Amino acid sequence: MKNRIVIITPFYPIKHRKDLFEDTKAVHYLLKEFADDNDILVVHSFMHGFKSAWKQLKRVVPIKLKYKDYLYIDDYGNNVLFFENLLLFPKSIKTLSYFSKKHARLLKQFCTNEQYHPEIGVVHFPTYYVDFIRKFDAFPKSIAIIHSFDIKNIKSRASINYWKRHFDKFDAIGYRSFVIKKEFEELMGIYEKSFMCLSGIPDNFISIRLTQTSYNITDKINLIYAGRLDKNKNVAKSILALNRIDKKIQYSFNIVGDGEEKKHIEELAQNIGVADRIIFHGKVSREKTFHLMESADIFLMVSKKETLGLVYLEAMAAGCIIIGTRGQGIDGIVVDGENGFLTDSNNEEAIYKTLYRVMTLSPTEQKRIRDNAKETVRLLSDVSLSKEYYSNICSVIQEDK
């Protein structure tokens, strides 16, 4: 018998809306292995940030009265209700009650008209949806999946007692990384029913055999970054740190991706005299990005905030030695000096020292790190982790039956 599962998330692919900021497809990938055998409804409740919210006001408001105006089908054949929220105040995570009330009513309308009786609601980024969940109030059971932005919101919005009351209503808590689990439990205490909700990468990436030879400072070292070009990704600080590397060490820094920070990054590289070492590839496919990683030696991404970062895992599978951010999502999967390296994303000196350390590794050390990284990602396939995600959802559904 098919389980009726509602997934609520602010990020999910909507093919006809290329204008939306698409931070990650992680939730989409998590559904990969169980979508066909279950009756899944995705509620993609997108948040327009303050800078774009007022521009969207006339298009989004008033909200239409029929759920079918918001209904789409995804690649797996799941129903997707696509709602848009406007964060009309700076640095706010709270949408107007108008949106929560109307969206909850449309979801109820879908459930009634389609005779859809959800067994569970799985809420990603639950700190965004306090009002929406309260107004819908029709999930027999529910799971909160905690992301890095939830930790930030818990620390900066409302009181701990307020959040404690919110999370106590859920039947289980899932954590998107080991660091997130640690931070959440330090703030909120330990919840009896909890599990890890990690993301994985395709088996065909994992199965690639490593072919790279070692690099050395007498040859050109090939570095790569892949991701959105925004302030959070900290690419400018990476370039400043690279500029401190001894000029005798030859390197190229491949930047894969696009975003609002691109012009600033280009100007910075020009102003400090390293533009000839920076190669911009623009936004390319996931497969093309992986091929570029296979040709690279070092993957450098020191984001300020990162829930997990599948791109780290893909770089590890491709044979890159990775440099990530200490205390963010990859910390716990990467152990500094064992299967990759971690540094302080806020400290240019620390990034420089880590870069120099990695660039001057001996061939023996390079091989050890790469082999350990490859062994780490063998356990993190998207197929196995999708099955684990579904197993944990089923465990909550079955409780007390």
Short mmCIF file of all heavy atoms in Angstrom, two decimals, residues 1 13 76 245 386:
data_model
loop_
_atom_site.label_atom_id
_atom_site.label_comp_id
_atom_site.label_asym_id
_atom_site.label_seq_id
_atom_site.Cartn_x
_atom_site.Cartn_y
_atom_site.Cartn_z
N MET A 1 0.83 -1.19 0.00
CA MET A 1 0.00 0.00 0.00
C MET A 1 0.88 1.26 0.00
O MET A 1 1.89 1.32 0.68
CB MET A 1 -0.89 0.01 1.25
CG MET A 1 -1.89 1.15 1.29
SD MET A 1 -2.97 0.95 2.71
CE MET A 1 -2.76 2.53 3.48
N PRO A 13 12.79 21.98 -7.70
CA PRO A 13 12.82 22.42 -9.10
C PRO A 13 11.42 22.69 -9.67
O PRO A 13 10.53 21.87 -9.54
CB PRO A 13 13.46 21.22 -9.83
CG PRO A 13 14.15 20.43 -8.77
CD PRO A 13 13.36 20.63 -7.52
N TYR A 76 9.43 12.99 -11.15
CA TYR A 76 9.10 11.66 -10.62
C TYR A 76 7.62 11.32 -10.74
O TYR A 76 7.19 10.23 -10.37
CB TYR A 76 9.50 11.57 -9.14
CG TYR A 76 10.94 11.89 -8.83
CD1 TYR A 76 11.26 12.75 -7.78
CD2 TYR A 76 11.98 11.32 -9.55
CE1 TYR A 76 12.58 13.03 -7.46
CE2 TYR A 76 13.31 11.60 -9.24
CZ TYR A 76 13.60 12.46 -8.20
OH TYR A 76 14.92 12.75 -7.89
N ILE A 245 49.71 33.60 -2.01
CA ILE A 245 50.60 32.48 -2.33
C ILE A 245 51.82 33.00 -3.08
O ILE A 245 51.72 33.89 -3.94
CB ILE A 245 49.85 31.42 -3.18
CG1 ILE A 245 48.67 30.82 -2.40
CG2 ILE A 245 50.79 30.33 -3.68
CD1 ILE A 245 49.05 29.96 -1.23
N SER A 386 18.64 8.04 -0.04
CA SER A 386 17.21 8.21 -0.29
C SER A 386 16.42 7.09 0.38
O SER A 386 15.37 7.34 0.99
CB SER A 386 16.94 8.22 -1.80
OG SER A 386 15.56 8.25 -2.07
#
